[in-house]
Amino acid sequence: MTTTSTTTGPHTGPEARPGTGAHAVATTGEPIHPAGPLLPVEALLLVDLQSAFVAGDEAVPDAARVLDRSRDLLARARAAGALVVHLQNDGAPGTVDEPHTPGWELQLPVEPGPREVVVRKTEDDGFEGTALGALLADAGVQALAVGGVLSEMCVAATARTALDRDFRVVLPHDAHATYDIPAAPGISDVVPAAMSSRAAEWALGDEVEIVARAADVPFTRTPSTASRPDR
C-alpha cells in the first residue's frame, strides 16, 4: 500500500455488498455485532501501521486515534496469549513505504516471539504471497480481529480474504482509518475519511462482525504455538 493524503495507490477493494444477516451494519449508521457478548478471538492483525501512514504531516486524519486503539488491542492480545501479526507493506522503490526507509518503519513496538510476528507483504491483501495463511492455520486460529490502515484498501482486502478462508473476522470501527477521497469533477466533492472508512466496513457484507469500540474486543490464547514465518 502506497499513498498520500491526496492520492491513493492501486485500489483492490471489493465491490460493495449490502449486509443483510445477523452481522449486518445497522441502517442508522451505527456499527453493530450479533446479540449477546462478543466471542473472543485468538489473533490480532495490525495492518500497515507504518510511519508513512500514521505519523507526520502525511498521516491519515485519525492516526492518533487508530494508534491509541491499536496499542490497547496489542496489549490485551499479548496479555491473553493471542497470536499477534504485524503486517508491513514493502512499497516499490521511490515510494513512501519503500523498505528500510523512515516511512516503512512500524510505529508500534514488536516483541518477536512464537506468538508475535511481522509478516511483510507487497499487495493490499495480507494473505497474497505471504505466510499469513499458514501461520494462522498452524496456530489453530479460527477467529481474528483486524485493524490498521487503509480502511478501503489493505484492511478491507485482508479482512475479505480472511472471511473467504472461513475465519471469523471482527472489525473494530475505531481501530482502522484512511484518507479523505479527493473531489472528482462531475462525480463528488471531497469524501471525508470517516465516510470512506464506514463505506469500507459496509462493503464487507454481513459476515464480518463490526463493533463500535476496540475496547469491546475480547482475546483468548491461541490453541497452539505459532512459528515465525520465513519472510
Side-chain angles (χ1 to χ4, degrees):
M1 175 182 64
T2 300
T3 186
T4 70
S5 59
T6 56
T7 60
T8 57
H11 178 70
T12 59
E15 182 179 352
R17 294 187 292 116
T20 55
H23 301 165
V25 178
T27 56
T28 59
E30 290 299 320
I32 61 171
H33 62 76
L38 189 67
L39 296 175
V41 299
E42 302 112 2
L44 171 65
L45 306 186
L46 295 174
V47 182
D48 298 353
L49 292 178
Q50 295 165 251
S51 298
F53 313 117
V54 293
D57 294 339
E58 297 299 319
V60 296
D62 288 322
R65 182 252 295 163
V66 170
L67 285 172
D68 177 74
R69 304 306 189 270
S70 297
R71 287 188 188 96
D72 171 67
L73 289 167
L74 181 56
R76 292 189 296 106
R78 286 170 173 165
L83 175 66
V84 175
V85 180
H86 301 262
L87 289 173
Q88 185 175 28
N89 197 69
D90 288 351
T95 59
V96 295
D97 55 351
E98 178 183 351
H100 311 296
T101 63
W104 174 79
E105 299 295 337
L106 294 170
Q107 278 289 289
L108 297 184
V110 179
E111 296 180 0
R115 294 184 184 273
E116 185 161 348
V117 300
V118 175
V119 172
R120 294 169 61 178
K121 64 185 183 66
T122 58
E123 305 294 335
D124 285 0
D125 180 1
F127 288 88
E128 186 171 348
T130 75
L132 179 59
L135 178 65
L136 295 172
D138 289 347
V141 170
Q142 295 183 332
L144 51 90
V146 183
V149 295
L150 300 175
S151 302
E152 78 282 19
M153 294 177 68
C154 298
V155 172
T158 301
R160 180 171 289 281
T161 296
L163 291 169
D164 289 344
R165 294 187 178 208
D166 294 325
F167 290 102
R168 180 176 148 247
V169 178
V170 176
L171 183 63
H173 176 74
D174 59 353
H176 67 93
T178 191
Y179 294 105
D180 295 341
I181 299 176
I187 298 177
S188 74
D189 294 331
V190 172
V191 178
M195 292 182 64
S196 180
S197 290
R198 190 70 181 89
E201 294 176 342
W202 180 266
L204 286 169
D206 62 359
E207 295 179 351
V208 67
E209 297 178 33
I210 302 170
V211 294
R213 303 189 314 147
D216 293 332
V217 179
F219 291 94
T220 189
R221 188 175 182 85
T222 50
S224 61
T225 301
S227 357
R228 296 190 67 180
D230 293 332
R231 56 170 301 182

